[in-house]
Short mmCIF file of all heavy atoms in Angstrom, two decimals:
data_model
loop_
_atom_site.label_atom_id
_atom_site.label_comp_id
_atom_site.label_asym_id
_atom_site.label_seq_id
_atom_site.Cartn_x
_atom_site.Cartn_y
_atom_site.Cartn_z
N ASN A 181 21.40 -10.68 -13.79
CA ASN A 181 22.25 -9.52 -14.16
C ASN A 181 22.73 -9.50 -15.62
O ASN A 181 23.23 -8.48 -16.07
CB ASN A 181 23.43 -9.40 -13.22
CG ASN A 181 24.18 -10.71 -12.93
OD1 ASN A 181 23.73 -11.77 -13.39
ND2 ASN A 181 25.29 -10.61 -12.25
N ILE A 182 22.54 -10.58 -16.38
CA ILE A 182 22.84 -10.51 -17.81
C ILE A 182 21.62 -10.93 -18.58
O ILE A 182 21.04 -12.01 -18.32
CB ILE A 182 24.04 -11.46 -18.15
CG1 ILE A 182 25.27 -11.00 -17.38
CG2 ILE A 182 24.29 -11.44 -19.66
CD1 ILE A 182 26.49 -11.90 -17.62
N TRP A 183 21.17 -10.05 -19.48
CA TRP A 183 20.01 -10.28 -20.30
C TRP A 183 20.44 -10.34 -21.74
O TRP A 183 21.37 -9.62 -22.18
CB TRP A 183 19.02 -9.15 -20.09
CG TRP A 183 18.42 -9.16 -18.70
CD1 TRP A 183 19.05 -8.92 -17.54
CD2 TRP A 183 17.08 -9.45 -18.35
NE1 TRP A 183 18.18 -9.02 -16.49
CE2 TRP A 183 16.96 -9.33 -16.94
CE3 TRP A 183 15.93 -9.78 -19.13
CZ2 TRP A 183 15.76 -9.61 -16.31
CZ3 TRP A 183 14.73 -9.98 -18.45
CH2 TRP A 183 14.66 -9.88 -17.03
N PHE A 184 19.75 -11.16 -22.55
CA PHE A 184 20.14 -11.33 -23.94
C PHE A 184 18.94 -11.85 -24.78
O PHE A 184 17.99 -12.39 -24.19
CB PHE A 184 21.36 -12.19 -24.12
CG PHE A 184 21.25 -13.58 -23.47
CD1 PHE A 184 20.96 -14.70 -24.20
CD2 PHE A 184 21.45 -13.71 -22.08
CE1 PHE A 184 20.89 -15.95 -23.57
CE2 PHE A 184 21.38 -14.94 -21.47
CZ PHE A 184 21.11 -16.08 -22.20
N THR A 185 19.00 -11.61 -26.05
CA THR A 185 17.93 -12.13 -26.96
C THR A 185 18.59 -13.19 -27.86
O THR A 185 19.71 -13.11 -28.22
CB THR A 185 17.33 -11.00 -27.78
OG1 THR A 185 18.32 -10.35 -28.51
CG2 THR A 185 16.58 -10.02 -26.91
N ILE A 186 17.72 -14.18 -28.18
CA ILE A 186 18.15 -15.25 -29.05
C ILE A 186 17.11 -15.34 -30.18
O ILE A 186 15.92 -15.35 -29.98
CB ILE A 186 18.19 -16.62 -28.32
CG1 ILE A 186 19.14 -16.55 -27.13
CG2 ILE A 186 18.54 -17.76 -29.26
CD1 ILE A 186 19.10 -17.79 -26.28
N ILE A 187 17.60 -15.44 -31.40
CA ILE A 187 16.79 -15.75 -32.57
C ILE A 187 17.39 -17.00 -33.18
O ILE A 187 18.54 -17.03 -33.59
CB ILE A 187 16.74 -14.61 -33.61
CG1 ILE A 187 16.14 -13.37 -32.96
CG2 ILE A 187 15.95 -15.04 -34.83
CD1 ILE A 187 16.16 -12.16 -33.88
N ALA A 188 16.61 -18.12 -33.26
CA ALA A 188 17.11 -19.41 -33.68
C ALA A 188 16.11 -20.06 -34.60
O ALA A 188 14.98 -19.60 -34.76
CB ALA A 188 17.40 -20.29 -32.51
N ARG A 189 16.49 -21.15 -35.21
CA ARG A 189 15.64 -21.83 -36.22
C ARG A 189 14.35 -22.36 -35.61
O ARG A 189 13.35 -22.50 -36.30
CB ARG A 189 16.42 -22.95 -36.92
CG ARG A 189 16.84 -24.09 -36.01
CD ARG A 189 17.65 -25.15 -36.82
NE ARG A 189 18.08 -26.16 -35.90
CZ ARG A 189 19.29 -26.19 -35.36
NH1 ARG A 189 20.16 -25.24 -35.68
NH2 ARG A 189 19.67 -27.12 -34.51
N ASP A 190 14.38 -22.73 -34.29
CA ASP A 190 13.18 -23.24 -33.60
C ASP A 190 13.38 -23.17 -32.09
O ASP A 190 14.48 -22.85 -31.59
CB ASP A 190 12.86 -24.63 -34.06
CG ASP A 190 14.01 -25.63 -33.94
OD1 ASP A 190 14.76 -25.51 -32.97
OD2 ASP A 190 14.12 -26.52 -34.80
N HIS A 191 12.32 -23.46 -31.33
CA HIS A 191 12.34 -23.43 -29.90
C HIS A 191 13.33 -24.46 -29.31
O HIS A 191 13.98 -24.23 -28.34
CB HIS A 191 10.94 -23.61 -29.32
CG HIS A 191 10.05 -22.45 -29.54
ND1 HIS A 191 10.19 -21.21 -28.97
CD2 HIS A 191 8.94 -22.37 -30.40
CE1 HIS A 191 9.26 -20.39 -29.41
NE2 HIS A 191 8.48 -21.06 -30.26
N SER A 192 13.44 -25.55 -30.03
CA SER A 192 14.39 -26.60 -29.57
C SER A 192 15.81 -26.07 -29.57
O SER A 192 16.56 -26.36 -28.61
CB SER A 192 14.27 -27.81 -30.50
OG SER A 192 15.19 -28.80 -30.12
N ARG A 193 16.17 -25.32 -30.57
CA ARG A 193 17.54 -24.78 -30.65
C ARG A 193 17.73 -23.75 -29.51
O ARG A 193 18.82 -23.71 -28.90
CB ARG A 193 17.81 -24.13 -31.99
CG ARG A 193 19.16 -23.49 -32.09
CD ARG A 193 20.33 -24.44 -31.93
NE ARG A 193 21.60 -23.70 -32.00
CZ ARG A 193 22.66 -24.04 -31.33
NH1 ARG A 193 22.69 -25.09 -30.53
NH2 ARG A 193 23.76 -23.32 -31.41
N ILE A 194 16.72 -22.97 -29.22
CA ILE A 194 16.81 -22.01 -28.10
C ILE A 194 17.06 -22.72 -26.78
O ILE A 194 17.97 -22.35 -26.02
CB ILE A 194 15.54 -21.11 -28.03
CG1 ILE A 194 15.50 -20.16 -29.20
CG2 ILE A 194 15.48 -20.39 -26.69
CD1 ILE A 194 14.20 -19.40 -29.35
N GLU A 195 16.28 -23.80 -26.54
CA GLU A 195 16.48 -24.59 -25.34
C GLU A 195 17.86 -25.21 -25.27
O GLU A 195 18.52 -25.24 -24.20
CB GLU A 195 15.39 -25.65 -25.20
CG GLU A 195 14.02 -25.09 -24.90
CD GLU A 195 13.94 -24.46 -23.54
OE1 GLU A 195 14.69 -24.80 -22.62
OE2 GLU A 195 13.07 -23.59 -23.38
N SER A 196 18.36 -25.61 -26.42
CA SER A 196 19.70 -26.20 -26.50
C SER A 196 20.76 -25.21 -26.13
O SER A 196 21.68 -25.45 -25.34
CB SER A 196 19.95 -26.75 -27.89
OG SER A 196 21.27 -27.24 -28.00
N ILE A 197 20.65 -23.97 -26.67
CA ILE A 197 21.63 -22.92 -26.39
C ILE A 197 21.56 -22.56 -24.88
O ILE A 197 22.60 -22.43 -24.26
CB ILE A 197 21.27 -21.63 -27.22
CG1 ILE A 197 21.56 -21.90 -28.69
CG2 ILE A 197 22.04 -20.40 -26.68
CD1 ILE A 197 21.07 -20.83 -29.65
N LEU A 198 20.37 -22.42 -24.32
CA LEU A 198 20.26 -22.11 -22.90
C LEU A 198 20.83 -23.19 -22.02
O LEU A 198 21.50 -22.94 -21.03
CB LEU A 198 18.80 -21.80 -22.52
CG LEU A 198 18.22 -20.54 -23.17
CD1 LEU A 198 16.74 -20.40 -22.86
CD2 LEU A 198 18.99 -19.28 -22.68
N GLY A 199 20.64 -24.44 -22.45
CA GLY A 199 21.21 -25.60 -21.69
C GLY A 199 22.75 -25.56 -21.78
O GLY A 199 23.41 -25.87 -20.77
N GLU A 200 23.30 -25.28 -22.94
CA GLU A 200 24.73 -25.19 -23.11
C GLU A 200 25.31 -24.09 -22.23
O GLU A 200 26.35 -24.27 -21.59
CB GLU A 200 25.09 -24.99 -24.55
CG GLU A 200 24.85 -26.18 -25.44
CD GLU A 200 25.03 -25.88 -26.94
OE1 GLU A 200 25.68 -24.86 -27.27
OE2 GLU A 200 24.53 -26.66 -27.72
N ILE A 201 24.68 -22.95 -22.24
CA ILE A 201 25.11 -21.84 -21.41
C ILE A 201 25.11 -22.20 -19.92
O ILE A 201 26.04 -21.95 -19.21
CB ILE A 201 24.28 -20.54 -21.67
CG1 ILE A 201 24.62 -20.00 -23.11
CG2 ILE A 201 24.50 -19.46 -20.60
CD1 ILE A 201 23.64 -18.94 -23.59
N ARG A 202 23.99 -22.82 -19.51
CA ARG A 202 23.87 -23.30 -18.12
C ARG A 202 24.98 -24.22 -17.75
O ARG A 202 25.62 -24.07 -16.71
CB ARG A 202 22.48 -23.94 -17.93
CG ARG A 202 22.17 -24.27 -16.49
CD ARG A 202 20.79 -24.80 -16.29
NE ARG A 202 20.44 -25.88 -17.21
CZ ARG A 202 19.54 -25.76 -18.22
NH1 ARG A 202 18.90 -24.64 -18.39
NH2 ARG A 202 19.29 -26.78 -19.00
N ASP A 203 25.26 -25.18 -18.64
CA ASP A 203 26.34 -26.17 -18.38
C ASP A 203 27.73 -25.51 -18.37
O ASP A 203 28.53 -25.77 -17.47
CB ASP A 203 26.30 -27.29 -19.41
CG ASP A 203 25.07 -28.17 -19.30
OD1 ASP A 203 24.38 -28.13 -18.26
OD2 ASP A 203 24.80 -28.92 -20.25
N LYS A 204 28.01 -24.67 -19.34
CA LYS A 204 29.33 -24.01 -19.45
C LYS A 204 29.61 -23.13 -18.26
O LYS A 204 30.75 -22.98 -17.86
CB LYS A 204 29.43 -23.23 -20.75
CG LYS A 204 29.53 -24.10 -21.97
CD LYS A 204 29.53 -23.25 -23.22
CE LYS A 204 29.62 -24.13 -24.47
NZ LYS A 204 29.57 -23.42 -25.71
N LEU A 205 28.56 -22.53 -17.71
CA LEU A 205 28.77 -21.61 -16.55
C LEU A 205 28.44 -22.31 -15.22
O LEU A 205 28.49 -21.64 -14.17
CB LEU A 205 27.89 -20.39 -16.74
CG LEU A 205 28.22 -19.52 -17.98
CD1 LEU A 205 27.21 -18.40 -18.11
CD2 LEU A 205 29.61 -18.97 -17.87
N ALA A 206 28.08 -23.58 -15.24
CA ALA A 206 27.78 -24.35 -14.04
C ALA A 206 26.67 -23.71 -13.23
O ALA A 206 26.75 -23.53 -12.01
CB ALA A 206 29.05 -24.57 -13.19
N LEU A 207 25.60 -23.29 -13.93
CA LEU A 207 24.47 -22.65 -13.31
C LEU A 207 23.37 -23.66 -13.01
O LEU A 207 23.19 -24.62 -13.74
CB LEU A 207 23.91 -21.53 -14.24
CG LEU A 207 24.88 -20.44 -14.60
CD1 LEU A 207 24.24 -19.52 -15.61
CD2 LEU A 207 25.30 -19.64 -13.34
N ALA A 208 22.61 -23.41 -12.00
CA ALA A 208 21.39 -24.21 -11.69
C ALA A 208 20.28 -23.79 -12.59
O ALA A 208 20.29 -22.63 -13.11
CB ALA A 208 21.03 -24.01 -10.22
N ALA A 209 19.31 -24.66 -12.79
CA ALA A 209 18.19 -24.34 -13.70
C ALA A 209 17.49 -23.01 -13.32
O ALA A 209 17.20 -22.24 -14.26
CB ALA A 209 17.19 -25.49 -13.74
N PRO A 210 17.28 -22.67 -12.05
CA PRO A 210 16.61 -21.42 -11.73
C PRO A 210 17.45 -20.14 -12.07
O PRO A 210 16.93 -19.05 -12.05
CB PRO A 210 16.34 -21.51 -10.24
CG PRO A 210 16.49 -22.91 -9.87
CD PRO A 210 17.40 -23.52 -10.88
N ASP A 211 18.73 -20.36 -12.37
CA ASP A 211 19.59 -19.22 -12.64
C ASP A 211 19.51 -18.78 -14.11
O ASP A 211 20.16 -17.82 -14.53
CB ASP A 211 21.07 -19.54 -12.34
CG ASP A 211 21.26 -19.74 -10.84
OD1 ASP A 211 20.60 -19.08 -10.03
OD2 ASP A 211 22.15 -20.58 -10.48
N VAL A 212 18.73 -19.51 -14.92
CA VAL A 212 18.59 -19.20 -16.34
C VAL A 212 17.11 -19.06 -16.67
O VAL A 212 16.30 -19.98 -16.43
CB VAL A 212 19.21 -20.31 -17.25
CG1 VAL A 212 19.08 -20.00 -18.69
CG2 VAL A 212 20.68 -20.55 -16.88
N LEU A 213 16.73 -17.89 -17.15
CA LEU A 213 15.33 -17.63 -17.51
C LEU A 213 15.15 -17.61 -19.03
O LEU A 213 15.96 -17.00 -19.73
CB LEU A 213 14.86 -16.26 -16.98
CG LEU A 213 14.87 -16.06 -15.48
CD1 LEU A 213 14.42 -14.65 -15.11
CD2 LEU A 213 14.02 -17.11 -14.78
N ASN A 214 14.10 -18.25 -19.50
CA ASN A 214 13.68 -18.18 -20.90
C ASN A 214 12.31 -17.49 -20.88
O ASN A 214 11.35 -17.95 -20.33
CB ASN A 214 13.54 -19.63 -21.44
CG ASN A 214 13.11 -19.63 -22.89
OD1 ASN A 214 12.95 -18.60 -23.53
ND2 ASN A 214 12.92 -20.83 -23.43
N LEU A 215 12.29 -16.28 -21.48
CA LEU A 215 11.12 -15.40 -21.38
C LEU A 215 10.58 -15.07 -22.81
O LEU A 215 10.66 -13.93 -23.26
CB LEU A 215 11.52 -14.10 -20.68
CG LEU A 215 12.13 -14.31 -19.30
CD1 LEU A 215 12.80 -13.04 -18.81
CD2 LEU A 215 11.03 -14.76 -18.32
N PRO A 216 9.99 -16.09 -23.49
CA PRO A 216 9.46 -15.78 -24.81
C PRO A 216 8.27 -14.82 -24.75
O PRO A 216 7.57 -14.78 -23.78
CB PRO A 216 9.02 -17.18 -25.34
CG PRO A 216 8.79 -17.98 -24.11
CD PRO A 216 9.74 -17.44 -23.04
N ALA A 217 8.14 -14.02 -25.78
CA ALA A 217 7.05 -13.03 -25.87
C ALA A 217 5.70 -13.79 -25.93
O ALA A 217 5.58 -14.77 -26.62
CB ALA A 217 7.21 -12.16 -27.05
N THR A 218 4.76 -13.26 -25.23
CA THR A 218 3.40 -13.79 -25.30
C THR A 218 2.53 -12.86 -26.13
O THR A 218 1.48 -13.27 -26.64
CB THR A 218 2.76 -13.95 -23.90
OG1 THR A 218 2.78 -12.70 -23.27
CG2 THR A 218 3.53 -14.98 -23.12
N GLN A 219 2.95 -11.61 -26.31
CA GLN A 219 2.25 -10.65 -27.15
C GLN A 219 3.27 -9.68 -27.70
O GLN A 219 4.17 -9.26 -26.95
CB GLN A 219 1.20 -9.91 -26.32
CG GLN A 219 0.24 -9.12 -27.17
CD GLN A 219 -0.94 -8.57 -26.34
OE1 GLN A 219 -1.01 -8.76 -25.14
NE2 GLN A 219 -1.86 -7.90 -27.02
N ILE A 220 3.14 -9.32 -28.95
CA ILE A 220 4.09 -8.44 -29.60
C ILE A 220 3.48 -7.09 -29.82
O ILE A 220 2.33 -6.99 -30.31
CB ILE A 220 4.57 -9.02 -30.94
CG1 ILE A 220 5.13 -10.42 -30.77
CG2 ILE A 220 5.54 -8.07 -31.67
CD1 ILE A 220 6.45 -10.47 -30.04
N PHE A 221 4.18 -6.03 -29.50
CA PHE A 221 3.77 -4.65 -29.78
C PHE A 221 4.79 -4.03 -30.68
O PHE A 221 6.03 -4.09 -30.40
CB PHE A 221 3.67 -3.84 -28.46
CG PHE A 221 2.63 -4.36 -27.56
CD1 PHE A 221 2.98 -5.28 -26.57
CD2 PHE A 221 1.32 -3.94 -27.63
CE1 PHE A 221 2.03 -5.78 -25.68
CE2 PHE A 221 0.36 -4.42 -26.75
CZ PHE A 221 0.74 -5.39 -25.75
N LYS A 222 4.37 -3.44 -31.76
CA LYS A 222 5.26 -2.73 -32.70
C LYS A 222 4.91 -1.28 -32.71
O LYS A 222 3.77 -0.91 -32.78
CB LYS A 222 5.18 -3.32 -34.08
CG LYS A 222 5.68 -4.74 -34.21
CD LYS A 222 7.15 -4.79 -34.10
CE LYS A 222 7.64 -6.19 -34.32
NZ LYS A 222 9.08 -6.28 -34.25
N LEU A 223 5.92 -0.46 -32.64
CA LEU A 223 5.72 1.00 -32.74
C LEU A 223 5.95 1.42 -34.17
O LEU A 223 6.82 0.91 -34.86
CB LEU A 223 6.69 1.73 -31.84
CG LEU A 223 6.59 1.46 -30.37
CD1 LEU A 223 7.65 2.21 -29.58
CD2 LEU A 223 5.24 1.85 -29.84
N ASP A 224 5.17 2.37 -34.65
CA ASP A 224 5.36 2.96 -35.98
C ASP A 224 5.81 4.35 -35.80
O ASP A 224 5.03 5.28 -35.71
CB ASP A 224 4.00 2.86 -36.69
CG ASP A 224 4.14 3.36 -38.15
OD1 ASP A 224 5.25 3.52 -38.62
OD2 ASP A 224 3.09 3.60 -38.79
N ALA A 225 7.13 4.53 -35.69
CA ALA A 225 7.73 5.81 -35.48
C ALA A 225 8.03 6.45 -36.82
O ALA A 225 8.70 5.85 -37.63
CB ALA A 225 8.94 5.71 -34.60
N ARG A 226 7.59 7.62 -37.01
CA ARG A 226 7.91 8.37 -38.24
C ARG A 226 8.44 9.69 -37.85
O ARG A 226 7.96 10.36 -36.95
CB ARG A 226 6.68 8.55 -39.12
CG ARG A 226 6.11 7.24 -39.59
CD ARG A 226 4.79 7.38 -40.26
NE ARG A 226 4.15 6.11 -40.40
CZ ARG A 226 3.94 5.54 -41.57
NH1 ARG A 226 4.28 6.15 -42.66
NH2 ARG A 226 3.37 4.39 -41.63
N PHE A 227 9.51 10.11 -38.52
CA PHE A 227 10.23 11.34 -38.19
C PHE A 227 10.07 12.33 -39.32
O PHE A 227 10.22 11.98 -40.46
CB PHE A 227 11.70 11.09 -37.96
CG PHE A 227 11.93 10.10 -36.83
CD1 PHE A 227 12.17 8.75 -37.11
CD2 PHE A 227 11.90 10.48 -35.51
CE1 PHE A 227 12.41 7.80 -36.10
CE2 PHE A 227 12.14 9.56 -34.47
CZ PHE A 227 12.39 8.23 -34.79
N ASN A 228 9.68 13.55 -38.94
CA ASN A 228 9.64 14.62 -39.90
C ASN A 228 10.93 15.45 -39.81
O ASN A 228 11.08 16.22 -38.89
CB ASN A 228 8.42 15.53 -39.66
CG ASN A 228 7.11 14.81 -39.93
OD1 ASN A 228 7.03 14.12 -40.91
ND2 ASN A 228 6.10 15.01 -39.09
#
């Protein structure tokens, strides 16, 4: 029910943040998802 994006110096820092969140909220490992992009799509929107 809560989704968020993380931009960090490296994947290790992302894992650290997610682990800290899991610990602070007393969540089980399956309650926290890490969903890195496997393919990026960019839109080129231009407005007249």
Side-chain angles (χ1 to χ4, degrees):
N181 46 354
I182 299 178
W183 291 67
F184 53 102
T185 56
I186 302 172
I187 298 176
R189 66 179 175 265
D190 54 36
H191 292 290
S192 176
R193 178 61 183 147
I194 290 172
E195 289 295 334
S196 176
I197 291 168
L198 293 174
E200 289 172 17
I201 290 168
R202 186 174 50 249
D203 292 345
K204 288 176 182 178
L205 298 174
L207 300 174
D211 294 328
V212 180
L213 298 180
N214 181 1
L215 304 164
T218 57
Q219 191 171 3
I220 304 292
F221 298 92
K222 293 288 184 179
L223 298 177
D224 183 12
R226 296 171 193 248
F227 302 98
N228 292 318

